[in-house]
Amino acid sequence: MQKSKLKETPTISDQTFDLMVEKAKNGDNEALLKLLEEMSPEIERLAGFLKLPKEEGIQEITTQFIEKIRR
């Protein structure tokens, strides 16, 4: 069985990520969109584990992510 390789994508620093989370928590929609863009590959990967069609899984995870940020 072959292991699938994760795509190497440029990622932001932890400090930048934390700053974007704080901005998103405070209502900055642009920061929220950047977070979702950054998290997109991971969200897509995780959606494959759900017992839902992939697009529905992506929507569900994205919705949950936004709810956690905006609390």
Side-chain angles (χ1 to χ4, degrees):
M1 180 183 229
Q2 237 179 356
K3 289 186 178 180
S4 62
K5 292 184 179 180
L6 292 176
K7 293 180 183 175
E8 297 266 340
T9 56
T11 57
I12 58 175
S13 70
D14 289 344
Q15 185 178 14
T16 302
F17 186 85
D18 291 344
L19 180 60
M20 283 196 307
V21 168
E22 283 305 311
K23 285 182 176 183
K25 283 182 177 183
N26 291 319
D28 186 334
N29 289 329
E30 188 174 323
L32 180 60
L33 288 174
K34 287 180 184 177
L35 281 173
L36 289 171
E37 183 179 310
E38 182 69 24
M39 296 300 298
S40 181
E42 186 66 13
I43 290 171
E44 288 182 27
R45 186 185 73 77
L46 292 172
F49 293 105
L50 299 177
K51 292 182 179 179
L52 295 170
K54 190 167 186 171
E55 286 303 315
E56 286 183 39
I58 290 169
Q59 288 180 341
E60 181 65 28
I61 294 169
T62 300
T63 300
Q64 293 293 321
F65 182 79
I66 292 169
E67 286 177 2
K68 291 287 184 188
I69 293 290
R70 291 292 166 98
R71 278 191 192 169

